[in-house]
Amino acid sequence: GQQVQQSPASLVLQEGENAELQCNFSSTATQLQWFYQSPGGSLVSLLSNPSGTKHTGRLTSTTVTKERRSSLHISSSQTTDSGTYLCAIVGNYAQGLTFGLGTRVSVFP
Amino acid sequence: EAAVTQSPRNKVAVTGGKVTLSCNQTNNHNNMYWYRQDTGHGLRLIHYSYGAGSTEKGDIPDGYKASRPSQENFSLILELATPSQTSVYFCASGDSRNSYEQYFGPGTRLTVL
């Protein structure tokens, strides 16, 4: 089945630093989403980016479909960015997402 | 306003008991999904639905049933709960009009004793 691998598993940042999170997947993705999971557990969709580059706020995602990889760049990190970032793909439209295990980000002042 | 809601938010059940987790969405999406999240496994798909009256098996359907009585509601049913089903359960919705992006509810923490 599909597999999604994320790296690094964890990341420690000082406030203001930038970060780059990686997502590699084993098969063609017709949809790719990046999620933020708060320490309290809620899941928030950050970006939908099956190909190309997309921006929202301080986040930039770049997906290279042929190479089966995506990245999420966080610029000027803030303590409120602390949490887990999840990458998920859909192989066939309308079917469920396959998730990676996430990157845990900790931002200290 | 929250577009995907789940109830209950927390539940303690006994082994062998029946548990029903409910999900409601106001996004008017055709598709709905149930996932569970466990340490070391991440989020995994249990069941999903293409619309009222339909249910499909996901990656880990054993021990679970699903029901989609309407566009808005999707339930996950544990007929005979076991301790291995202790987990956090998430419901989501999505469809072709938003390129199948999925939007998640707040989760239900289930403990089976």
Side-chain angles (χ1 to χ4, degrees):
Chain A
Q2 297 169 333
Q3 292 185 347
V4 177
Q5 294 182 325
Q6 292 187 243
S7 61
S10 62
L11 196 55
V12 178
L13 301 169
Q14 190 161 17
E15 198 168 27
E17 290 183 328
N18 300 330
E20 184 118 335
L21 284 58
Q22 301 292 339
C23 175
N24 292 277
F25 41 97
S26 62
S27 56
T28 302
T30 52
Q31 178 58 280
L32 184 145
Q33 277 183 268
W34 282 96
F35 292 89
Y36 167 77
Q37 187 165 34
S38 68
S42 62
L43 276 165
V44 175
S45 180
L46 297 172
L47 283 165
S48 169
N49 187 27
S51 66
T53 299
K54 284 195 176 180
H55 307 272
T56 181
R58 294 180 292 106
L59 302 176
T60 301
S61 172
T62 299
T63 299
V64 183
T65 309
K66 289 185 178 180
E67 297 181 13
R68 299 178 182 171
R69 61 179 175 87
S70 181
S71 64
L72 182 69
H73 185 264
I74 306 173
S75 64
S76 303
S77 61
Q78 300 176 359
T79 56
T80 52
D81 294 333
S82 296
T84 301
Y85 291 77
L86 298 167
C87 173
I89 66 168
V90 172
N92 296 313
Y93 280 125
Q95 294 184 3
L97 292 164
T98 298
F99 282 82
L101 294 181
T103 294
R104 179 172 291 184
V105 174
S106 301
V107 184
F108 294 95
Chain B
E1 265 186 64
V4 181
T5 57
Q6 295 181 230
S7 63
R9 294 292 313 279
N10 291 280
K11 172 76 177 177
V12 178
V14 295
T15 298
K18 183 177 180 179
V19 177
T20 299
L21 306 183
S22 300
C23 178
N24 177 275
Q25 56 107 355
T26 56
N27 295 320
N28 198 30
H29 288 155
N30 291 326
N31 303 334
M32 296 185 73
Y33 309 84
W34 277 106
Y35 298 86
R36 62 178 283 178
Q37 186 175 30
D38 305 285
T39 303
H41 289 282
L43 280 127
R44 293 177 290 172
L45 180 67
I46 305 170
H47 284 288
Y48 59 103
S49 167
Y50 292 123
S54 97
T55 60
E56 307 288 336
K57 293 181 179 180
D59 298 323
I60 53 165
D62 293 346
Y64 301 94
K65 291 184 179 179
S67 173
R68 182 86 182 271
S70 66
Q71 176 85 337
E72 298 79 20
N73 295 295
F74 190 35
S75 297
L76 186 69
I77 303 153
L78 291 66
E79 296 277 6
L80 294 169
T82 69
S84 65
Q85 294 175 312
T86 293
S87 187
V88 180
Y89 292 85
F90 288 95
C91 175
S93 73
D95 69 20
S96 59
R97 289 168 292 177
N98 65 335
S99 301
Y100 296 101
E101 288 183 50
Q102 293 186 24
Y103 296 90
F104 281 73
T108 294
R109 185 173 297 273
L110 173 66
T111 302
V112 182
L113 301 175

